[in-house]
Amino acid sequence: MYKIIFIAHGGCNIGMGHIIRSMSLAHEFRLHNYEVTFISRYET
């Protein structure tokens, strides 16, 4: 199994655009059996 790590930051001050686009890509990777992990400087 391949592993993908996304590093994306978002929040009230900087917006959520990078997070939303990364989540869309992550969804497609998961459909093809990739293990996806997210890293952000902000807590969820």
Side-chain angles (χ1 to χ4, degrees):
M1 175 182 283
Y2 292 106
K3 297 180 182 183
I4 301 288
I5 297 174
F6 285 92
I7 301 173
H9 308 296
C12 296
N13 294 330
I14 62 173
M16 296 296 290
H18 289 104
I19 300 291
I20 300 301
R21 285 187 290 276
S22 297
M23 288 177 63
S24 178
L25 288 169
H27 174 74
E28 292 299 319
F29 279 117
R30 286 183 177 131
L31 290 177
H32 291 89
N33 296 320
Y34 283 69
E35 181 181 324
V36 178
T37 302
F38 276 85
I39 296 175
S40 176
R41 71 175 73 160
Y42 304 107
E43 291 186 36
T44 57

